[in-house]
Amino acid sequence: MRLYDHVLLCIIFVICFSGVPVHLYSQEPGWTKFSFPNPQRDPEDCGHHGNKSWLCDPENILSSEQAAEIENILVETQNVTSCDCRGCTNQTNVNFIVTVALVPKIYIYKSARSVVTQQDLEAVSHEFADYLLHRYQYGKCGNDVILFASRDDRQFSVAIGHEAEFFLTPRSLIKIRSEIGQHFDNGDVYTGILSAVTIFRDVFLHQYEYSVRISFVLFLVFVGIGVCALLFVLTDRKSVV
């Protein structure tokens, strides 16, 4: 037996009988938040002819036409919206900035014996979006938004700067997610992203009136309940008299 074989057997013996747990890790392909490029600084790594943009799709999941349509809305959002925060001046990129990051799959470093759960995917997706928001720092004063999507994982997450949070409230995000979530669930990232960025633009333009409508509906419901309760009390009093 060769020296190499003896060494290999010794290593196997030590691993098997030393009592040290062995961890096997899967190396499935996917993107990490650390390896993802910046569409303004690394446009050549973000697909679609390597032009500077606000959409980073390094594996060209979207067609050129689809990417151009989404990019147009992202640029329009900056041109037609305005930021009220003190840090916003008349310089470039001071209005609301929405950036899209798209990957086919998220890389999760897990034990081969462990199962990647839906909660794992959601957590990593949120971390991905939040990390890019703080790394890119496109906004001058929190006037920026990151939309991250992973096609094969059926995930999308939104990270919001502190100024944009005044518009994209948790309540509006719940409504937005209910409207566009099915597209990502079906793997239709194009329709999902297009719908999301369109809604974001409308929110910043005060044209997304879900909060107003739902408040009015709830108001009518409460008024109706109150009237019914009052009638019940009055009827009950008359019966007692």
Side-chain angles (χ1 to χ4, degrees):
M1 184 177 291
R2 294 175 301 173
L3 178 61
Y4 172 81
D5 295 327
H6 281 290
V7 173
L8 183 59
L9 286 175
C10 290
I11 293 174
I12 295 174
F13 180 85
V14 170
I15 292 176
C16 293
F17 299 98
S18 62
V20 178
V22 178
H23 297 283
L24 302 177
Y25 292 92
S26 60
Q27 300 292 333
E28 294 184 2
W31 285 87
T32 71
K33 59 186 179 183
F34 304 110
S35 61
F36 197 78
N38 184 321
Q40 290 293 302
R41 297 179 181 177
D42 314 302
E44 65 280 359
D45 296 327
C46 281
H48 304 292
H49 311 297
N51 299 319
K52 277 190 175 183
S53 71
W54 303 101
L55 165 66
C56 191
D57 176 18
E59 298 197 33
N60 292 306
I61 296 174
L62 302 173
S63 68
S64 297
E65 294 75 15
Q66 292 172 339
E69 186 176 5
I70 292 171
E71 176 70 15
N72 288 338
I73 296 178
L74 299 177
V75 173
E76 181 188 9
T77 299
Q78 294 188 37
N79 293 334
V80 301
T81 62
S82 59
C83 174
D84 300 326
C85 56
R86 296 179 181 179
C88 294
T89 64
N90 293 324
Q91 301 173 6
T92 306
N93 299 335
V94 295
N95 299 330
F96 286 106
I97 302 170
V98 179
T99 306
V100 174
L102 175 60
V103 300
K105 187 176 181 60
I106 305 171
Y107 177 84
I108 300 181
Y109 197 58
K110 294 276 289 184
S111 167
R113 297 192 181 99
S114 300
V115 177
V116 176
T117 65
Q118 183 70 14
Q119 289 74 18
D120 292 330
L121 292 173
E122 291 175 358
V124 174
S125 176
H126 289 308
E127 290 175 4
F128 210 124
D130 191 62
Y131 177 82
L132 293 183
L133 180 72
H134 291 88
R135 195 183 84 185
Y136 291 168
Q137 293 186 339
Y138 291 146
K140 306 294 182 181
C141 53
N143 52 313
D144 46 353
V145 176
I146 296 288
L147 172 63
F148 169 76
S150 177
R151 181 194 60 193
D152 298 344
D153 297 312
R154 305 295 196 263
Q155 293 293 320
F156 77 98
S157 294
V158 182
I160 310 170
H162 59 82
E163 180 68 21
E165 284 181 338
F166 287 105
F167 295 82
L168 289 170
T169 63
R171 188 175 185 179
S172 66
L173 286 175
I174 292 175
K175 173 62 176 176
I176 293 171
R177 183 171 286 274
S178 69
E179 289 187 3
I180 68 176
Q182 60 179 344
H183 302 305
F184 293 98
D185 292 340
N186 296 329
D188 185 4
V189 290
Y190 161 66
T191 304
I193 291 173
L194 182 65
S195 301
V197 297
T198 302
I199 291 175
F200 293 163
R201 179 199 60 194
D202 293 343
V203 167
F204 294 135
L205 290 173
H206 305 283
Q207 296 176 359
Y208 189 73
E209 301 177 352
Y210 163 75
S211 296
V212 176
R213 288 201 299 268
I214 195 67
S215 297
F216 181 69
V217 171
L218 289 176
F219 172 75
L220 291 179
V221 170
F222 286 128
V223 169
I225 293 175
V227 171
C228 292
L230 180 61
L231 291 175
F232 176 79
V233 171
L234 292 176
T235 303
D236 188 60
R237 285 185 178 180
K238 287 182 180 179
S239 62
V240 171
V241 174

